[in-house]
Amino acid sequence: MSARTQVEALLTLIRESALKALDDYETHGKEAPTLDSLQKHPLDEAVNKLDFKKTIRKLEAACDQLCSTLAPPSHSIMKRSQDFGWACLRVAVKQRVADVLLKYPDGRHVQDLALEVNIQPMKLAAILKVLATRHCFREVTPDVFANNRLSLCLVSSHPMSAKIDTATYEGQLSAGVLSEYLVTPELGHSIAMNEAAFQYTKKGTPHEQSLFFDWLGLPEQEERRTQFGRSMIAVNEVLGALAPVHVYPWDQVKTICDVGGGIGHFSKALLQNTANTNVVLFDLPETIEVAKADWKSDFEGRVQFAGGSFLEEIPVKGCDVYYIRNVLHNWSDEKAVQILQTVRQAMGPNSHLLLHEAILRHSCKSEFSPMVGLDDAPEPLLANYGEGQINVYQLNMLMLMWFNTQERTPSQLNKIIETVGLRLIKVYDLAEMCLLELVLA
Ligand SMILES: C[S@@+](CC[C@H](N)C(=O)[O-])C[C@H]1O[C@@H](n2cnc3c(N)ncnc32)[C@H](O)[C@@H]1O
């Protein structure tokens, strides 16, 4: 395909997906808000946005590929190399700039704002100009800044502010040492979970060998722990982690075991949206105690709690469905096999296992994806939707830097599934994530 043909195809994709996105907003009650809007749109809060997510995936992929095709290469690369937006976001969140601007919907001059957020005015102006240039905050008149649709995500009550905090602290600390860590003898080649880039940032401290979650569990890390928990709410929202509630045929299902279900984010949503299901929430005993306190008497009679380790035994036998989300990516292949083996041992002959994980696709075409039913990106987009799915590749870097683990490609997941003696019968493409339906082989 020539560059002209590619560009014309990309422009068609952009036009089609942008118009479809506008329609999606209108179908949800109101026309699409402008970037300056401070009002939430019903679509922002909609529980089932899978179609919309897929439209935006195409739009982002096509816009980014179009610019990368036509802009001079060094121009594109220079922008990537000095993208300090993350540091600016961190400042804005830590100093609560968006919180302060809630009081000034028409904007606040940077000189006055600087006094309220305790940052030197010239420095604050530089930071806000980077952000506003990428549509987060609005420069109303020269040096007067106001909130806009994007900057409202930085307000401290928004879970995304916690995601910014963890990504730009635990994430960027690890990213900052990555190139040095990778060539450190032995450590750089280790795939041990306590020898990742994160531990390298702790070298010389008592925690240089602590697992990421053990470090997070230290009494003195209470604030980091809380932020991490809140950040997971934002990640689940962005990844559309409740999509299986809406795409899977639950009317055929009575009993579900939510394996490693945390305090029950998925289980609660499932019970809310289905009439005849009963859930057993299974997690480590200490997490189950937190879950019980959180659920109180909600859904009494439809939920049971079971504590234990999925590395040893799952005491809940013969459920119609075992559901396991966002678990395997925290574990090595060997441990992932062990976890699925204990699930397999709990399954009855007719049980189904639903494996819900982010999925890493190759950016080139591969034989596996059409076989398992993942939506293929239309030509000439990268096969993995490029920028449209960049969140997955960024999360994969966090897995790598914090745990020495990874999100997996379809073939990597398939290898684990086959080793355990399970058979894939259906794939639900949920954009960044996918739901694999498995039965005993
Ligand atoms: C990344 S969280 C995912 C939680 C939930 N499935 C979700 O998607 O929100 C991983 C979960 O695995 C649980 N976990 C870790 N080790 C475990 C073990 N050995 N046995 C059971 N659960 C475990 C953690 O307590 C945590 O709730």
Side-chain angles (χ1 to χ4, degrees):
M1 229 192 246
S2 69
R4 176 169 290 276
T5 316
Q6 285 189 19
V7 165
E8 280 169 4
L10 290 168
L11 286 170
T12 304
L13 284 172
I14 291 169
R15 184 176 163 75
E16 283 172 2
S17 45
L19 291 176
K20 167 84 171 51
L22 284 173
D23 289 348
D24 284 349
Y25 276 105
E26 283 158 24
T27 310
H28 280 81
K30 283 193 224 161
E31 64 180 16
T34 65
L35 272 168
D36 294 349
S37 170
L38 297 179
Q39 303 302 317
K40 282 210 161 140
H41 187 282
L43 183 57
D44 300 342
E45 313 260 275
V47 279
N48 185 7
K49 294 193 268 204
L50 188 55
D51 275 357
F52 181 65
K53 275 173 72 62
K54 289 185 177 180
T55 303
I56 296 300
R57 167 170 81 171
K58 214 184 281 177
L59 179 64
E60 287 183 340
C63 289
D64 185 66
Q65 192 164 324
L66 179 69
C67 295
S68 297
T69 303
L70 292 178
S74 51
H75 167 92
S76 302
I77 291 296
M78 187 165 124
K79 282 206 301 190
R80 289 166 173 71
S81 74
Q82 54 184 6
D83 185 354
F84 304 120
W86 67 268
C88 301
L89 280 175
R90 177 161 189 81
V91 172
V93 162
K94 296 306 280 182
Q95 299 311 115
R96 302 197 170 204
V97 174
D99 293 65
V100 170
L101 286 178
L102 289 177
K103 293 185 284 182
Y104 308 104
D106 297 329
R108 184 83 166 143
H109 195 279
V110 76
Q111 292 286 346
D112 304 316
L113 184 58
L115 288 175
E116 290 191 68
V117 300
N118 193 25
I119 299 180
Q120 197 279 341
M122 180 191 73
K123 298 177 186 178
L124 181 61
I127 288 163
L128 289 181
K129 278 173 197 290
V130 165
L131 293 172
T133 300
R134 281 200 153 161
H135 311 293
C136 177
F137 296 107
R138 174 166 70 104
E139 193 166 6
V140 186
T141 54
D143 290 320
V144 172
F145 293 92
N147 275 324
N148 71 351
R149 190 160 154 72
L150 267 60
S151 72
L152 289 180
C153 297
L154 277 53
V155 173
S156 52
S157 57
H158 196 299
M160 188 50 69
S161 70
K163 174 61 192 161
I164 293 169
D165 187 8
T166 56
T168 61
Y169 185 65
E170 284 85 0
Q172 292 295 351
L173 276 183
S174 308
V177 300
L178 188 60
S179 68
E180 191 182 310
Y181 156 80
L182 287 173
V183 295
T184 302
E186 292 175 25
L187 215 49
H189 286 266
S190 167
I191 52 167
M193 288 180 72
N194 63 349
E195 292 186 340
F198 178 77
Q199 283 77 28
Y200 189 73
T201 69
K202 304 283 168 224
K203 87 179 159 195
T205 78
H207 304 299
E208 62 185 355
Q209 288 280 304
S210 300
L211 293 173
F212 180 82
F213 280 125
D214 290 346
W215 173 83
L216 208 57
L218 293 169
E220 64 269 28
Q221 300 304 341
E222 191 185 344
E223 191 254 349
R224 301 314 304 154
R225 195 158 59 243
T226 307
Q227 286 297 73
F228 188 84
R230 292 182 65 222
S231 78
M232 286 309 301
I233 299 173
V235 172
N236 277 331
E237 161 67 23
V238 170
L239 297 186
L242 292 179
V245 171
H246 306 282
V247 301
Y248 189 74
W250 296 105
D251 48 342
Q252 316 286 328
V253 175
K254 285 211 163 46
T255 52
I256 299 113
C257 178
D258 188 354
V259 180
I263 63 165
H265 175 248
F266 176 80
S267 288
K268 256 191 196 168
L270 182 65
L271 292 178
Q272 246 153 23
N273 285 278
T274 53
N276 298 316
T277 50
N278 291 289
V279 167
V280 184
L281 186 63
F282 174 79
D283 205 288
L284 291 168
E286 54 271 28
T287 308
I288 287 300
E289 287 313 307
V290 181
K292 281 181 186 165
D294 182 71
W295 281 62
K296 299 188 189 88
S297 57
D298 295 353
F299 298 102
E300 216 161 35
R302 292 180 67 200
V303 60
Q304 291 175 40
F305 299 92
S309 170
F310 51 43
L311 293 168
E312 289 159 20
E313 192 198 357
I314 293 167
V316 190
K317 309 289 182 195
C319 290
D320 295 334
V321 165
Y322 289 80
Y323 173 78
I324 180 162
R325 180 182 79 182
N326 285 335
V327 167
L328 294 197
H329 69 171
N330 292 150
W331 300 88
S332 64
D333 284 358
E334 188 196 340
K335 292 286 183 202
V337 165
Q338 191 179 336
I339 293 167
L340 290 192
Q341 263 160 353
T342 63
V343 179
R344 191 186 189 284
Q345 280 155 12
M347 290 167 73
N350 298 318
S351 302
H352 287 216
L353 168 58
L354 297 179
L355 186 58
H356 187 193
E357 290 273 321
I359 187 118
L360 267 194
R361 303 156 189 245
H362 298 294
S363 51
C364 61
K365 276 199 178 307
S366 73
E367 281 172 18
F368 199 81
S369 38
M371 262 170 60
V372 296
L374 292 174
D375 292 352
D376 253 354
E379 296 274 2
L381 297 181
L382 288 178
N384 65 352
Y385 284 94
E387 178 73 11
Q389 296 223 135
I390 193 69
N391 275 325
V392 179
Y393 299 82
Q394 292 167 339
L395 287 174
N396 189 41
M397 286 303 296
L398 290 181
M399 294 304 117
L400 186 79
M401 296 188 298
W402 291 350
F403 308 110
N404 260 342
T405 62
Q406 58 183 336
E407 308 294 349
R408 291 181 171 89
T409 64
S411 12
Q412 286 167 332
L413 279 174
N414 207 40
K415 203 166 144 211
I416 291 172
I417 290 163
E418 283 178 353
T419 308
V420 175
L422 292 164
R423 185 164 58 86
L424 180 62
I425 56 167
K426 183 154 179 165
V427 173
Y428 296 83
D429 185 330
L430 309 177
E432 286 110 329
M433 300 188 84
C434 81
L435 185 72
L436 306 182
E437 186 171 12
L438 310 165
V439 292
L440 300 185

